[in-house]
Structures are given as structure tokens and as C-alpha cells.
Amino acid sequence: MKKIVITSLLIAFSMSGCEVLNQTPESSFTPENFYRNADDAKAAVSTVYDPLNSSNMYGQVMWILQDQATDDSEWGGGRSTANQAKNDLDKHTFTPATSTFQSLWTTVYQGINRANAVIERVPPIAMDEALKARYIAEAKFMRGFYYFTLVRLFGGVPLMLKETTSLNDLAVSRASADEVYNQVIQDFTEAETALPPSYTGADRGRATKGAATAFLSKVYLTRKDWAKAAAKAKEVIDSGVYDLWATFSEAFLIANKNGKEAVFEMQALGGGFGEGSLMQGYMRPPFDRVNGVAGFGDDPVTENLYKAYRPEDKRRDVTIKMYSATTTPAAPASVVYPAYVYKYLDPSATANGEGSNNYPIIRYADVLLMYAEALNELNGPTPEAYAAVNRLRRRAGLADLADMTKDQFREAVLLERRLELAFEGHRWYDLARTGRLINAIKAQNPTITVPAHHVLFPIPQSEIDVNSQLTQNPGY
């Protein structure tokens, strides 16, 4: 657990672009004298969001876990097998020592500790009370988000609700999954009451009331509390804040970042600002150059996913680019199935990691699908459930769903989730929470054996080595 420690002093300096931090020598800042005014509070809150953009979260690690370990992406097969961690995630041969888990664990707990610092240290600051309440709500939202990430991936984890400022007394045991989920619900609920419905200007992209409500719907969906999941999704729908773009491709245009379909996104700022998105560089194949820069070919698309789209589905060619020996650029013969993620292309990027593509953590389309799924589990496919799904199908150029049984509609919604939300970080959770992980991977690649306990990832071995109170997930 020593790796999760981050002091309040580090909070003040870990976020680039915090304009208030260039006025006093670094050595003079302490936790006691940093939190003095509204600018300090704003800078501290900004650092709570910062881990999202890290390569140890949505910069790379999260989509390795959420895509590579599913039937949507396959490492190898004529593509690079050099990265052992990615190959192990894909083939489900990972162990507690696989570095990916430690990278994520460390970074998420850094975010949690920053949130804890804001929640503890901002309240005494003399500043506008409404703004103070919003900053604290943002920190609670992000703490809820980070714990929701951990509990879905690892199960019960240490529940740290106070700022960690020293290396002492860090032998903390795991809370139960129920305890973590209860805290997540509390954080999102408290954030929901104090966050604004939207922002303008430079504040766009911060946590909103609608984002907190949408995450509550997702928490309840994960917990199979269908009534609450449906109710929270409907609150988002009825808010009038969000809507679908007319075409699927518009949802991913850089010009539409934080637009009407975005509920919560990882923010990216390319053009040399150092806060760009890694997706456009990592996911493009190495034989495809944009402005002279080749991609790395990470997160390659499976034939199984590509063929799951009907040819007339307008989402397919926005989501995936299929290369061949005759395309420009041409795919080399060594690549068995040259299909790659195309959603996050920044045509103006001049370096990998400088893409301006936001990563959609929750889109309005996801809310509609959660609403449809929850309604169906409660009462079968109601007219409202059909209407929610069919909005997305019509946009995709597909016929409406109709006249289905409850089981048929459930399968249809899960397929829609796969096709609509591909490479947006939902597939692993959907397979794990519905008990479909093993069969889905087997259908995609019969050579991969997925043990039953892989519905949770292992606690990082390096954390267990330094914390005698931690226990490993069964099976590892």
C-alpha cells in the first residue's frame, strides 16, 4: 500500500496548467499553507481529475483491461506479441504479478487520496460557499468514480476515506464489495445534490449532476437493482440536458467534445499541450501514418466483433477501419485480420499522445441502453424500453426491434451495447456482470481458456507484498 501515498504537497504540483502555482517557491508549500483561497481549492480539485489522462488509466491501461481481456480485441495473430502484459490479458494467462494491475491500482489510489484531501481541507477555506460546495461535490464524484472502477475490477478493496500523508499505519485490510459499493453510492448521491447540470467555457468537462445520476444508474445496474437503475437513467433522460447527435460519427468529432451526447469524458488537449489522448497513436496500425506518424496497433479488433455488425450498420465503419492488401495504406500479409479501432482518429495530430480526442466514459447512448435493460428486467420489453433502443438503431440505419420475449430483448440490448459502445470501456464489465465472459471469449477464440475466477482481476502482488492485511481474490 505504500505506493498509494501522495501528500497534500504533491497535490499542488501534479496538475499541469494550474496558474496559481507559479508564485511561490515549491519548498515553501505545506498542507497547512496551501489551502488558503479559492484558487488553491480549484487547483487541488483539478488534480483529482488528472489521473484519468494518465497512461496508467484511460491513456492506455483502462482500455487494455476493458477491451483486451474481452472478445472485442485480440493481441497476437500476426500482430505484435512483444508486450507480455497485453498478451497475457488477451489470452487470460495473467497473474497477480502482471504489471498492468499495479499501474492502475497505484494511479487510482492517488486520485482517491487527492479527492480525500479536497474533501477534508477545502471546507475551512473562506470563499464563495456555493463554489466551495461544488468543489467538494466534484471531489466526492471522482472518489466515487475511482472506487467504482476498483470494485468492479477487483472486488472489495481497502476503503480509504481520509487523506494519507505519511507511510505509517498503511496496513489496511480490504473492505467488502458491498461496503465499497455503499460508499460509491453515497459519494455519487452527495455529489448529485451539489453539482450543476452543465458548465460553460473552460469548466466544460467537469463532473455534472447528470454524470453523477448516470453513474448511479450504472452502479444500480451492476448490482441488479433494476428499479433504481431505471429510475436514475430516466432522470438523466428527463433532464433535457442530453441528446443524440443526428449521426453516429458526430459523437466522436473533436469539434463536438463535451457536446450534447457527452455525459462524462476524459479530457484531452493535443497540439503540444502534453495532455493529449494516446488512443489515436496507440490504436492505429503501424503501417498507417497520419502526418508522418505511425501508430502502434494496440487494441486490434477481432473478426468476431467486426462480423457482429450488419453490413448496413452505419456504426461499423465509424468504429472500425478494415485494411487489406489493396487499401491505402496496404496491410502487410503478416497481419491475419487487419481491423483496427477508428473512432479516435485525430487527423491533425503530429505525434502519438497528442490527439485531441476525448474518451467517452459515459455517453447518452449508454444511458438509453441502461434504461432499456433495466426496464426489461423489471417488466419485460415495455414500449419505453423499445423506444430507447430503437432511437440508436434508427440512427445506425437498422430496423426497429419489436415483438420480442424478455430473453430475446435482453440479448438484443447486450448486442446493441457491444456495437454502439465498442471501445468505450464497457465490454468487460458487461460480460462479467452478466456471466457471459467465458462463453464470449470461447466463441471469439476457442484456444483461450478463461477460468471462472477471472470475472475479477487479481489484487496486485506487489501490494500484497507490502501490506500483510491484504488478501488475494480466490483462484489466484
PDB file of all heavy atoms in Angstrom, residues 226-227 230 372-385 406:
ATOM      1  N   TRP A 226     -32.742  -3.213 -10.436  1.00  0.00           N
ATOM      2  CA  TRP A 226     -33.290  -2.742 -11.702  1.00  0.00           C
ATOM      3  C   TRP A 226     -34.177  -1.512 -11.561  1.00  0.00           C
ATOM      4  O   TRP A 226     -34.136  -0.610 -12.415  1.00  0.00           O
ATOM      5  CB  TRP A 226     -34.062  -3.866 -12.382  1.00  0.00           C
ATOM      6  CG  TRP A 226     -33.289  -5.139 -12.520  1.00  0.00           C
ATOM      7  CD1 TRP A 226     -33.581  -6.344 -11.952  1.00  0.00           C
ATOM      8  CD2 TRP A 226     -32.083  -5.349 -13.273  1.00  0.00           C
ATOM      9  NE1 TRP A 226     -32.647  -7.294 -12.293  1.00  0.00           N
ATOM     10  CE2 TRP A 226     -31.720  -6.710 -13.111  1.00  0.00           C
ATOM     11  CE3 TRP A 226     -31.284  -4.526 -14.072  1.00  0.00           C
ATOM     12  CZ2 TRP A 226     -30.589  -7.258 -13.715  1.00  0.00           C
ATOM     13  CZ3 TRP A 226     -30.161  -5.075 -14.673  1.00  0.00           C
ATOM     14  CH2 TRP A 226     -29.824  -6.421 -14.496  1.00  0.00           C
ATOM     15  N   ALA A 227     -34.972  -1.465 -10.502  1.00  0.00           N
ATOM     16  CA  ALA A 227     -35.886  -0.329 -10.339  1.00  0.00           C
ATOM     17  C   ALA A 227     -35.115   0.979 -10.179  1.00  0.00           C
ATOM     18  O   ALA A 227     -35.440   1.999 -10.803  1.00  0.00           O
ATOM     19  CB  ALA A 227     -36.807  -0.570  -9.138  1.00  0.00           C
ATOM     20  N   ALA A 230     -33.320   1.949 -13.487  1.00  0.00           N
ATOM     21  CA  ALA A 230     -34.239   2.563 -14.453  1.00  0.00           C
ATOM     22  C   ALA A 230     -34.614   3.972 -14.036  1.00  0.00           C
ATOM     23  O   ALA A 230     -34.662   4.885 -14.870  1.00  0.00           O
ATOM     24  CB  ALA A 230     -35.493   1.702 -14.591  1.00  0.00           C
ATOM     25  N   ALA A 372     -33.207   0.846 -21.052  1.00  0.00           N
ATOM     26  CA  ALA A 372     -33.904  -0.257 -21.722  1.00  0.00           C
ATOM     27  C   ALA A 372     -33.642  -1.585 -21.017  1.00  0.00           C
ATOM     28  O   ALA A 372     -34.567  -2.383 -20.808  1.00  0.00           O
ATOM     29  CB  ALA A 372     -33.461  -0.335 -23.176  1.00  0.00           C
ATOM     30  N   GLU A 373     -32.415  -1.826 -20.641  1.00  0.00           N
ATOM     31  CA  GLU A 373     -32.079  -3.082 -19.976  1.00  0.00           C
ATOM     32  C   GLU A 373     -32.795  -3.211 -18.640  1.00  0.00           C
ATOM     33  O   GLU A 373     -33.364  -4.265 -18.318  1.00  0.00           O
ATOM     34  CB  GLU A 373     -30.565  -3.186 -19.770  1.00  0.00           C
ATOM     35  CG  GLU A 373     -30.142  -4.488 -19.103  1.00  0.00           C
ATOM     36  CD  GLU A 373     -28.643  -4.598 -18.907  1.00  0.00           C
ATOM     37  OE1 GLU A 373     -27.892  -3.796 -19.492  1.00  0.00           O
ATOM     38  OE2 GLU A 373     -28.211  -5.510 -18.152  1.00  0.00           O
ATOM     39  N   ALA A 374     -32.767  -2.151 -17.850  1.00  0.00           N
ATOM     40  CA  ALA A 374     -33.394  -2.206 -16.530  1.00  0.00           C
ATOM     41  C   ALA A 374     -34.906  -2.374 -16.637  1.00  0.00           C
ATOM     42  O   ALA A 374     -35.511  -3.150 -15.888  1.00  0.00           O
ATOM     43  CB  ALA A 374     -33.048  -0.942 -15.740  1.00  0.00           C
ATOM     44  N   LEU A 375     -35.537  -1.661 -17.574  1.00  0.00           N
ATOM     45  CA  LEU A 375     -36.982  -1.807 -17.755  1.00  0.00           C
ATOM     46  C   LEU A 375     -37.347  -3.227 -18.147  1.00  0.00           C
ATOM     47  O   LEU A 375     -38.342  -3.793 -17.655  1.00  0.00           O
ATOM     48  CB  LEU A 375     -37.474  -0.832 -18.824  1.00  0.00           C
ATOM     49  CG  LEU A 375     -37.528   0.646 -18.464  1.00  0.00           C
ATOM     50  CD1 LEU A 375     -38.014   1.460 -19.666  1.00  0.00           C
ATOM     51  CD2 LEU A 375     -38.441   0.904 -17.263  1.00  0.00           C
ATOM     52  N   ASN A 376     -36.553  -3.803 -19.026  1.00  0.00           N
ATOM     53  CA  ASN A 376     -36.836  -5.171 -19.465  1.00  0.00           C
ATOM     54  C   ASN A 376     -36.725  -6.157 -18.306  1.00  0.00           C
ATOM     55  O   ASN A 376     -37.540  -7.079 -18.184  1.00  0.00           O
ATOM     56  CB  ASN A 376     -35.877  -5.569 -20.586  1.00  0.00           C
ATOM     57  CG  ASN A 376     -36.146  -6.967 -21.110  1.00  0.00           C
ATOM     58  OD1 ASN A 376     -37.228  -7.244 -21.624  1.00  0.00           O
ATOM     59  ND2 ASN A 376     -35.174  -7.857 -20.965  1.00  0.00           N
ATOM     60  N   GLU A 377     -35.723  -5.995 -17.464  1.00  0.00           N
ATOM     61  CA  GLU A 377     -35.563  -6.907 -16.329  1.00  0.00           C
ATOM     62  C   GLU A 377     -36.709  -6.761 -15.338  1.00  0.00           C
ATOM     63  O   GLU A 377     -37.090  -7.720 -14.662  1.00  0.00           O
ATOM     64  CB  GLU A 377     -34.220  -6.656 -15.636  1.00  0.00           C
ATOM     65  CG  GLU A 377     -33.001  -6.971 -16.490  1.00  0.00           C
ATOM     66  CD  GLU A 377     -32.946  -8.417 -16.940  1.00  0.00           C
ATOM     67  OE1 GLU A 377     -33.499  -9.297 -16.244  1.00  0.00           O
ATOM     68  OE2 GLU A 377     -32.354  -8.688 -18.008  1.00  0.00           O
ATOM     69  N   LEU A 378     -37.286  -5.579 -15.273  1.00  0.00           N
ATOM     70  CA  LEU A 378     -38.420  -5.362 -14.370  1.00  0.00           C
ATOM     71  C   LEU A 378     -39.728  -5.914 -14.930  1.00  0.00           C
ATOM     72  O   LEU A 378     -40.474  -6.619 -14.235  1.00  0.00           O
ATOM     73  CB  LEU A 378     -38.580  -3.859 -14.105  1.00  0.00           C
ATOM     74  CG  LEU A 378     -37.596  -3.207 -13.147  1.00  0.00           C
ATOM     75  CD1 LEU A 378     -37.750  -1.694 -13.192  1.00  0.00           C
ATOM     76  CD2 LEU A 378     -37.798  -3.713 -11.725  1.00  0.00           C
ATOM     77  N   ASN A 379     -40.017  -5.584 -16.186  1.00  0.00           N
ATOM     78  CA  ASN A 379     -41.356  -5.844 -16.726  1.00  0.00           C
ATOM     79  C   ASN A 379     -41.370  -6.425 -18.124  1.00  0.00           C
ATOM     80  O   ASN A 379     -42.412  -6.419 -18.794  1.00  0.00           O
ATOM     81  CB  ASN A 379     -42.155  -4.527 -16.746  1.00  0.00           C
ATOM     82  CG  ASN A 379     -42.293  -3.915 -15.372  1.00  0.00           C
ATOM     83  OD1 ASN A 379     -42.775  -4.560 -14.451  1.00  0.00           O
ATOM     84  ND2 ASN A 379     -41.849  -2.672 -15.221  1.00  0.00           N
ATOM     85  N   GLY A 380     -40.225  -6.902 -18.603  1.00  0.00           N
ATOM     86  CA  GLY A 380     -40.174  -7.320 -19.991  1.00  0.00           C
ATOM     87  C   GLY A 380     -40.018  -6.106 -20.896  1.00  0.00           C
ATOM     88  O   GLY A 380     -39.917  -4.969 -20.430  1.00  0.00           O
ATOM     89  N   PRO A 381     -39.997  -6.314 -22.216  1.00  0.00           N
ATOM     90  CA  PRO A 381     -39.757  -5.198 -23.146  1.00  0.00           C
ATOM     91  C   PRO A 381     -40.959  -4.265 -23.271  1.00  0.00           C
ATOM     92  O   PRO A 381     -41.858  -4.482 -24.087  1.00  0.00           O
ATOM     93  CB  PRO A 381     -39.448  -5.902 -24.464  1.00  0.00           C
ATOM     94  CG  PRO A 381     -40.120  -7.233 -24.355  1.00  0.00           C
ATOM     95  CD  PRO A 381     -40.084  -7.612 -22.904  1.00  0.00           C
ATOM     96  N   THR A 382     -40.962  -3.232 -22.470  1.00  0.00           N
ATOM     97  CA  THR A 382     -42.044  -2.246 -22.488  1.00  0.00           C
ATOM     98  C   THR A 382     -41.891  -1.327 -23.694  1.00  0.00           C
ATOM     99  O   THR A 382     -40.818  -1.264 -24.313  1.00  0.00           O
ATOM    100  CB  THR A 382     -42.000  -1.399 -21.211  1.00  0.00           C
ATOM    101  OG1 THR A 382     -40.768  -0.652 -21.205  1.00  0.00           O
ATOM    102  CG2 THR A 382     -42.079  -2.263 -19.964  1.00  0.00           C
ATOM    103  N   PRO A 383     -42.935  -0.565 -24.032  1.00  0.00           N
ATOM    104  CA  PRO A 383     -42.805   0.412 -25.127  1.00  0.00           C
ATOM    105  C   PRO A 383     -41.666   1.399 -24.895  1.00  0.00           C
ATOM    106  O   PRO A 383     -40.972   1.782 -25.842  1.00  0.00           O
ATOM    107  CB  PRO A 383     -44.168   1.110 -25.123  1.00  0.00           C
ATOM    108  CG  PRO A 383     -45.118   0.081 -24.589  1.00  0.00           C
ATOM    109  CD  PRO A 383     -44.337  -0.661 -23.547  1.00  0.00           C
ATOM    110  N   GLU A 384     -41.458   1.798 -23.627  1.00  0.00           N
ATOM    111  CA  GLU A 384     -40.372   2.736 -23.317  1.00  0.00           C
ATOM    112  C   GLU A 384     -39.011   2.091 -23.566  1.00  0.00           C
ATOM    113  O   GLU A 384     -38.074   2.751 -24.033  1.00  0.00           O
ATOM    114  CB  GLU A 384     -40.477   3.207 -21.872  1.00  0.00           C
ATOM    115  CG  GLU A 384     -41.691   4.061 -21.558  1.00  0.00           C
ATOM    116  CD  GLU A 384     -42.965   3.244 -21.349  1.00  0.00           C
ATOM    117  OE1 GLU A 384     -42.878   1.985 -21.295  1.00  0.00           O
ATOM    118  OE2 GLU A 384     -44.037   3.851 -21.256  1.00  0.00           O
ATOM    119  N   ALA A 385     -38.896   0.802 -23.241  1.00  0.00           N
ATOM    120  CA  ALA A 385     -37.637   0.102 -23.472  1.00  0.00           C
ATOM    121  C   ALA A 385     -37.347  -0.006 -24.966  1.00  0.00           C
ATOM    122  O   ALA A 385     -36.212   0.227 -25.426  1.00  0.00           O
ATOM    123  CB  ALA A 385     -37.687  -1.284 -22.838  1.00  0.00           C
ATOM    124  N   LYS A 406     -38.830 -11.435 -23.218  1.00  0.00           N
ATOM    125  CA  LYS A 406     -37.886 -10.807 -22.291  1.00  0.00           C
ATOM    126  C   LYS A 406     -36.467 -11.282 -22.555  1.00  0.00           C
ATOM    127  O   LYS A 406     -35.521 -10.469 -22.581  1.00  0.00           O
ATOM    128  CB  LYS A 406     -38.293 -11.121 -20.846  1.00  0.00           C
ATOM    129  CG  LYS A 406     -37.431 -10.462 -19.788  1.00  0.00           C
ATOM    130  CD  LYS A 406     -37.977 -10.760 -18.394  1.00  0.00           C
ATOM    131  CE  LYS A 406     -37.181 -10.054 -17.310  1.00  0.00           C
ATOM    132  NZ  LYS A 406     -37.752 -10.287 -15.957  1.00  0.00           N
TER     133      LYS A 406
END
